[in-house]
Amino acid sequence: MKLKVDRHANTPIAQQLEEAISTWIKQNKPGNGSRLPSIRYLAATHHVSRNAAIEAYERLIAAGLVRSKPGAGFFVADSPPSEHQTVSSPLQEVTNGLWGLFSADETALPLGCGWLPSHWRESDDLTYAIRQVARMNRADIFEYSTPQGPTALRHLIQERLRLLAISTNHQQIVTTSGSSHSLDLLVRLLLEPGDVVFVESPGYYNLFGLLHLQRVRVIGVPRLADGPDLERLEELLAEHRPTLFYTNSVFQNPTGGTLTPTIAHRLLQLAEQYDFKLIEDDIYADFQHTPSARLAALDGLSRVIYLGSFSKSLSSSLRVGYIAAPSSMVQRIVDIKMLTSISSSRFAEQVITTMLQNGSYRKLTERLSARLSNHMSLALAMLKHANWDVYTEPTGGMFVWAKPPAAITSERLSELADDWKVTLSPGHLFFADHQPTPWRRLNVAYMQDPRAKGFIDSMTYQSTSTTKLGSNNAGVNS
């Protein structure tokens, strides 16, 4: 496959690659499932950055022309959509391929990822809890858990919610295998093909794929620093009747913004007026020093369904999350959980229970939130010095939503990322319609790494040099 790429054109390199591969597929009509070049080969043979190749393939996957198989590569989709036909996308075509793409080079720094570095993880208390569970009861290692989740753990979660002013009881809580599992259960329960769901834009990309799998219509509501854009939300409500609205209340992914009480109150009023439910995803709650307004606290779990998780703070491998829901929904959630997974991991649930009971989890998250707050301050100062635009300045959490200096094109950004062995998450993935954007999610936990510093500092030099060149040319022309 030989593609035409013009490095001097105004069209971004990633878009050129996307269009060229799309044209090649349509003109050559390769067999369904035909293998396409790897990211490394595509970048090397066409002298483009690896990040540009990644973005091109992600765009093709989103369009349904290409599918990815983690560890195997990229292939022509079985049923590429025509210009006049909308095809219901199978699993491989709505997943964005991030896992397969980003694990391709394990030596690169995952600056745009959504998890903490391994060296940040504290293993001593976790190891102790694991040993305790293994010694105390063999059933916790080998047997199923109860479908709703252990009573002791649900009581402990109830107490944690009380500290957030969320009034509930343990009977309204269902444990899950992490927040993604929670979302899957709720999508299966509450939505039918053709339903409308409002999501934040930019927002959680994995949810978009999950909703598309359910053949749900997804509409983005702009996310501002203090919550959803209420003016735009009311305009959209005049046109559509959503079944659900999904929001990250604290340290939103990817902007890092936190919902304010004023926005929360108005959002609940609109939910009542237009009769839709709210899913409040609060998986970053443990990164916050002082609790702020939660929709579930203001609403009393009437229209709001609340999600929490221990995976972000403790271990990505130890998958334990939970749903706090109106009493009328709990049995139906448990029924779906039993049908799809029988139960969550009893062993993981008992490890979490042990750490909550002995106080080690609370102490761990206190240290972690302080460390993240410090790294957030350092990251914001670094970005300011390098002339990046920051969407909002979070007080903590993992994410900053930032835009490089105007002088840095998307191609140059990709080249610099390759030079410094840094992997970025393409910004368009965070929009339900995959609209092009110069904004990027940066994970502050990785930004003190020398590669991240070099990457950001190189942009300071690049943008300054371009500005000086422009000034000199202006002087000559005048």
Side-chain angles (χ1 to χ4, degrees):
M1 178 190 294
K2 184 62 178 175
L3 308 176
K4 183 178 180 181
V5 176
D6 184 355
R7 301 179 62 83
H8 303 290
N10 293 327
T11 305
I13 297 296
Q15 185 177 337
Q16 291 186 50
L17 287 172
E18 174 199 4
E19 293 171 353
I21 295 172
S22 175
T23 299
W24 182 87
I25 291 173
K26 292 173 182 177
Q27 290 179 346
N28 291 275
K29 295 182 173 55
N32 296 340
S34 297
R35 184 187 292 274
L36 294 169
S38 68
I39 290 170
R40 189 183 302 276
Y41 182 83
L42 189 65
T45 56
H46 294 86
H47 306 290
V48 299
S49 73
R50 180 176 173 275
N51 281 278
I54 287 174
E55 185 168 343
Y57 270 134
E58 285 176 347
R59 288 173 176 269
L60 290 162
I61 291 168
L65 286 168
V66 171
R67 58 187 174 88
S68 69
K69 291 182 179 180
F74 300 91
F75 303 84
V76 176
D78 294 337
S79 301
S82 69
E83 295 180 1
H84 306 289
Q85 181 182 16
T86 300
V87 177
S88 299
S89 300
L91 177 62
Q92 295 93 335
E93 294 175 8
V94 298
T95 53
N96 51 54
L98 274 177
W99 282 104
L101 294 172
F102 284 7
S103 62
D105 185 356
E106 294 182 356
T107 64
L109 181 74
L111 187 58
C113 76
W115 53 89
L116 294 173
S118 296
H119 67 270
W120 275 44
R121 306 291 192 178
E122 299 183 20
S123 60
D124 289 349
D125 289 331
L126 177 59
T127 301
Y128 174 80
I130 290 172
R131 288 173 177 168
Q132 283 287 99
V133 172
R135 283 200 302 261
M136 295 295 291
N137 190 350
R138 286 175 59 84
D140 290 337
I141 304 175
F142 297 109
E143 302 295 334
Y144 286 114
S145 181
T146 59
Q148 189 169 347
T151 301
L153 177 55
R154 288 187 285 117
H155 273 294
L156 290 164
I157 292 170
Q158 176 187 341
E159 174 59 21
R160 290 171 59 77
L161 296 182
R162 186 188 65 80
L163 297 176
L164 297 175
I166 299 173
S167 178
T168 184
N169 64 69
H170 73 284
Q171 296 291 359
Q172 290 179 264
I173 296 168
V174 180
T175 63
T176 66
S177 299
S179 61
S180 294
H181 184 212
S182 298
L183 287 171
D184 183 39
L185 293 174
L186 293 173
V187 166
R188 292 172 186 266
L189 172 64
L190 298 172
L191 300 175
E192 298 289 342
D195 284 349
V196 174
V197 173
F198 284 5
V199 298
E200 293 177 321
S201 184
Y204 181 38
Y205 60 81
N206 207 52
L207 174 65
F208 305 158
L210 183 62
L211 293 171
H212 285 305
L213 281 177
Q214 191 72 2
R215 295 172 175 81
V216 168
R217 188 177 179 193
V218 182
I219 295 176
V221 178
R223 170 75 186 213
L224 306 180
D226 54 359
D229 183 339
L230 293 180
E231 182 177 348
R232 180 56 181 153
L233 175 58
E234 294 195 49
E235 291 175 356
L236 290 169
L237 287 170
E239 302 175 33
H240 310 281
R241 288 295 179 269
T243 303
L244 287 175
F245 180 75
Y246 169 91
T247 181
N248 256 164
S249 50
V250 172
F251 300 147
Q252 191 251 5
N253 179 10
T255 68
T258 294
L259 187 69
T260 61
T262 301
I263 301 296
H265 278 288
R266 182 56 182 153
L267 190 53
L268 289 171
Q269 290 173 349
L270 292 172
E272 182 70 27
Q273 180 180 347
Y274 290 94
D275 191 26
F276 60 87
K277 287 183 170 59
L278 288 148
I279 294 180
E280 181 177 25
D281 193 339
D282 199 17
I283 62 173
Y284 306 109
D286 290 329
F287 298 156
Q288 190 179 36
H289 287 292
T290 304
S292 59
R294 260 60 173 192
L295 291 166
L298 299 172
D299 171 73
L301 293 178
S302 175
R303 288 189 174 275
V304 176
I305 305 160
Y306 180 90
L307 310 185
S309 175
F310 300 96
S311 298
K312 290 294 183 183
S313 49
L314 184 60
S315 169
S316 299
S317 295
L318 203 69
R319 306 294 297 168
V320 180
Y322 57 90
I323 301 170
S327 299
S328 60
M329 292 178 54
V330 170
Q331 187 57 55
R332 289 182 292 161
I333 295 172
V334 174
D335 288 343
I336 295 174
K337 179 182 173 183
M338 290 178 65
L339 289 170
T340 56
S341 60
I342 302 179
S343 70
S344 305
S345 166
R346 176 167 173 166
F347 178 75
E349 289 173 339
Q350 292 303 322
V351 170
I352 294 293
T353 300
T354 300
M355 295 188 70
L356 290 174
Q357 288 174 334
N358 66 22
S360 60
Y361 183 80
R362 174 182 57 80
K363 295 173 184 176
L364 180 151
T365 55
E366 287 174 353
R367 293 190 296 270
L368 185 58
S369 62
R371 188 176 186 182
L372 278 171
S373 294
N374 179 55
H375 275 248
M376 178 64 72
S377 298
L378 295 172
L380 291 173
M382 184 191 305
L383 292 170
K384 182 179 180 180
H385 180 262
N387 298 316
W388 283 57
D389 289 332
V390 174
Y391 194 73
T392 184
E393 295 191 5
T395 57
M398 284 194 289
F399 304 127
V400 176
W401 188 236
K403 180 172 65 173
I408 305 297
T409 65
S410 60
E411 292 77 26
R412 187 57 185 149
L413 187 71
S414 295
E415 290 170 354
L416 290 170
D418 279 358
D419 290 344
W420 288 97
K421 300 291 286 183
V422 165
T423 304
L424 301 172
S425 296
H428 71 273
L429 292 179
F430 297 92
F431 293 89
D433 58 0
H434 282 194
Q435 66 186 59
T437 179
W439 294 86
R440 300 289 179 140
R441 183 183 74 177
L442 303 177
N443 189 326
V444 301
Y446 294 83
M447 288 187 66
Q448 296 308 303
D449 185 284
R451 288 167 290 179
K453 288 183 174 181
F455 171 63
I456 299 295
D457 288 344
S458 68
M459 242 159 294
T460 307
Y461 171 76
Q462 292 281 328
S463 59
T464 302
S465 299
T466 303
T467 301
K468 288 181 178 179
L469 179 60
S471 300
N472 292 338
N473 288 341
V476 171
N477 292 335
S478 62

